[in-house]
Amino acid sequence: MIVTYFIKGLNASIVPLIPKLTNASCCCDCMRLLFTCSELGLGHVSRIMPLGKLLQQDGCEAFFASGGKAYELLTRDFRHVYKCTPIAWYENASGIVVPASLINIMFPLPVFNTENRRFEIKQPSALEVIHRSYDLRAKLHDVAPDVVIADGDITALRIAAKRKTPSVYITNVLRPTYGLMRFLNLGESLTEQYVKQSAKIIIPDNPPPYTISDYNIGNLHNSRLEDKIEYVGAFMDTTHIQGSDKHVFAPISGPIGTRSKLLNIILPVLQRTNTKAIISLGVPGKKTSVKIGNCEIHSWLSVAERQEAMKNTKYVIFSGGHITCFETIKYAKPSICIPTQPEQDANASKMQDLGCLIKAKNQKELTSAIQKMEQNLFFYKKNMLNLNKFSSKLNGLDKTIEIIKKLF
């Protein structure tokens, strides 16, 4: 009932925090740039938006192409935005279903749309790729960009290579080693042939050994990618902000089924603790709040409210998204992670290896993780402060613009 009360009928997409713009300077006046991004999560669009704004301020002509929720977000801030066919995993009420997604590469499958409350047919992802290719080919012809900047969009790299247009690839996933079947290595090999044709591969993360997406980048030895990779740091300001330990903060994100799953794990456990807890469902729209025991549940929090909740939390309970990982680093807050997909599991595993996080997957493990966190809070805080000290020396936006200047 709680989940239905907050989520039913609302937009189920969370808008990640847009990083603070910096004062980078660039000498790429009159350069025409085409930005494209994947729609598999909104982390991709949240990176190209501040980058595009900065390059526009430096005199570049910026054009954008994407689909789905990413397209909607881009149209709010930019004039030249083109809609193209989105490529999506197969998702149901429980989130991404990997076996079904593999079948859906070639075959259509029925799926229940949790937002529209009706069954639909999910078209094969191979067909989505074909349609997207035609869309992007037309956009490249119309825009005639000097450079294509693609965030997680392999299709754009392929079209750019065929048109002999220089490209820069932004990604935090190259050769994932967590939760994926070995036979998918063939797919990685096919996509890497286009990645290799990029002028540079930008990793918006710390350099080793503090790379949060380390297990998603994977082993690149002898891959012909190493020489092109630049670890630039996060695309957000990670300067440490000191806070207090007033509560526990649980920002929930993902499709509606994933949200329900996470809330049904987190809420019963937090209700049994004596600590005040703030839970955000991350659903944009009219704000609705309710208090259940020691838990405050909000349908969404503004950027300022979210920052305040993060600043004053003892520790964070979240699903392991790359951007939220760096939010916890900014405020030097240890965390408990309940991953809902392989990429998140890989991020969480790396942060756990760094002594900054504890993984859990159900109510029993979450209860145990909270007890362990409470008993060893000083240890985890110390490690987070060390990670923040390293991360805050880097400015991913400035470094990326510097790289683009040198290349073109």
Side-chain angles (χ1 to χ4, degrees):
M1 291 297 295
I2 296 170
V3 177
T4 304
Y5 179 73
F6 281 109
I7 301 180
K8 186 176 179 181
L10 294 176
N11 185 334
S13 296
I14 182 172
V15 181
L17 297 176
I18 302 301
K20 180 181 178 182
L21 296 183
T22 62
N23 295 315
S25 60
C26 181
C27 57
C28 37
D29 293 1
C30 301
M31 183 181 288
R32 295 171 68 85
L33 305 174
L34 176 61
F35 294 84
T36 77
C37 70
S38 166
E39 305 81 14
L40 297 174
L42 296 179
H44 302 284
V45 71
S46 73
R47 290 195 293 242
I48 67 168
M49 288 177 72
L51 183 61
K53 288 177 181 178
L54 282 174
L55 287 167
Q56 273 189 330
Q57 290 172 13
D58 291 329
C60 296
E61 290 186 84
F63 302 83
F64 299 83
S66 194
K69 300 298 180 183
Y71 169 79
E72 294 175 15
L73 287 173
L74 288 166
T75 56
R76 297 177 190 177
D77 286 3
F78 300 98
R79 290 181 56 195
H80 305 297
V81 183
Y82 302 98
K83 191 172 186 178
C84 56
T85 303
I87 301 172
W89 293 100
Y90 182 91
E91 296 186 45
N92 63 14
S94 298
I96 296 172
V97 183
V98 174
S101 293
L102 295 175
I103 296 172
N104 187 234
I105 291 174
M106 298 303 298
F107 302 100
L109 290 176
V111 63
F112 185 71
N113 187 317
T114 51
E115 293 186 41
N116 299 330
R117 313 298 296 176
R118 67 181 182 216
F119 279 98
E120 299 176 349
I121 297 297
K122 166 72 169 65
Q123 294 300 316
S125 52
L127 187 60
E128 292 172 346
V129 170
I130 292 171
H131 285 305
R132 189 183 186 91
S133 296
Y134 280 108
D135 293 340
L136 288 174
R137 188 169 66 180
K139 301 307 176 287
L140 258 75
H141 179 270
D142 294 341
V143 174
D146 298 302
V147 183
V148 171
I149 300 174
D151 193 315
D153 190 351
I154 298 292
T155 307
L157 297 182
R158 176 176 174 271
I159 302 301
K162 285 197 168 187
R163 290 184 58 88
K164 301 189 185 308
T165 302
S167 63
V168 173
Y169 188 46
I170 303 172
T171 186
N172 56 289
V173 179
L174 280 173
R175 290 184 169 184
T177 56
Y178 267 71
L180 294 176
M181 304 171 190
R182 287 187 177 275
F183 71 84
L184 293 179
N185 290 342
L186 176 60
E188 289 178 6
S189 299
L190 292 173
T191 59
E192 275 186 14
Q193 64 178 308
Y194 303 114
V195 175
K196 289 174 182 176
Q197 296 181 59
S198 301
K200 276 291 180 183
I201 302 167
I202 304 296
I203 309 293
D205 204 326
N206 298 330
Y210 298 108
T211 311
I212 305 306
S213 55
D214 191 10
Y215 304 144
N216 285 313
I217 301 301
N219 184 359
L220 302 179
H221 188 58
N222 296 328
S223 65
R224 289 175 54 203
L225 295 175
E226 287 182 295
D227 293 341
K228 294 189 175 187
I229 286 179
E230 294 277 356
Y231 291 90
V232 299
F235 275 27
M236 65 183 296
D237 181 8
T238 54
T239 303
H240 182 235
I241 296 178
Q242 184 66 42
S244 62
D245 296 339
K246 294 180 181 179
H247 52 249
V248 173
F249 181 43
I252 293 175
S253 62
I256 189 169
T258 301
R259 295 169 191 267
S260 300
K261 178 181 177 181
L262 288 170
L263 186 59
N264 289 330
I265 292 173
I266 294 170
L267 180 58
V269 175
L270 290 181
Q271 281 184 286
R272 294 195 292 266
T273 68
N274 296 321
T275 305
K276 176 184 174 181
I278 296 176
I279 300 174
S280 170
L281 300 179
V283 183
K286 184 177 179 180
K287 182 176 178 179
T288 308
S289 303
V290 67
K291 188 170 182 179
I292 303 176
N294 60 321
C295 297
E296 293 180 8
I297 306 176
H298 305 278
S299 57
W300 74 289
L301 296 175
S302 67
V303 172
E305 289 171 331
R306 181 184 173 99
Q307 290 173 343
E308 190 69 14
M310 187 72 73
K311 182 179 74 172
N312 294 317
T313 188
K314 274 204 293 187
Y315 51 88
V316 181
I317 302 175
F318 75 122
S319 58
H322 193 248
I323 288 178
T324 309
C325 285
F326 274 95
E327 279 188 88
T328 67
I329 292 171
K330 176 182 179 65
Y331 296 98
K333 300 296 183 178
S335 55
I336 297 171
C337 184
I338 308 170
T340 61
Q341 54 170 287
E343 180 188 342
Q344 296 171 349
D345 193 13
N347 293 334
S349 295
K350 177 63 178 188
M351 289 193 71
Q352 184 168 257
D353 291 346
L354 292 172
C356 299
L357 175 151
I358 303 172
K359 287 203 300 181
K361 61 183 179 183
N362 52 43
Q363 289 187 23
K364 182 178 179 181
E365 291 189 8
L366 178 57
T367 301
S368 176
I370 288 175
Q371 292 173 350
K372 183 177 179 181
M373 181 64 70
E374 293 282 0
Q375 293 168 1
N376 300 279
L377 194 58
F378 177 79
F379 167 79
Y380 288 103
K381 278 189 174 183
K382 180 181 177 181
N383 290 334
M384 282 300 294
L385 284 168
N386 289 335
L387 183 56
N388 172 270
K389 185 177 181 180
F390 181 89
S391 304
S392 61
K393 296 176 182 177
L394 305 170
N395 187 313
L397 288 172
D398 282 348
K399 183 63 177 177
T400 299
I401 291 175
E402 180 185 327
I403 290 168
I404 292 173
K405 286 167 57 179
K406 289 181 178 178
L407 286 173
F408 310 111

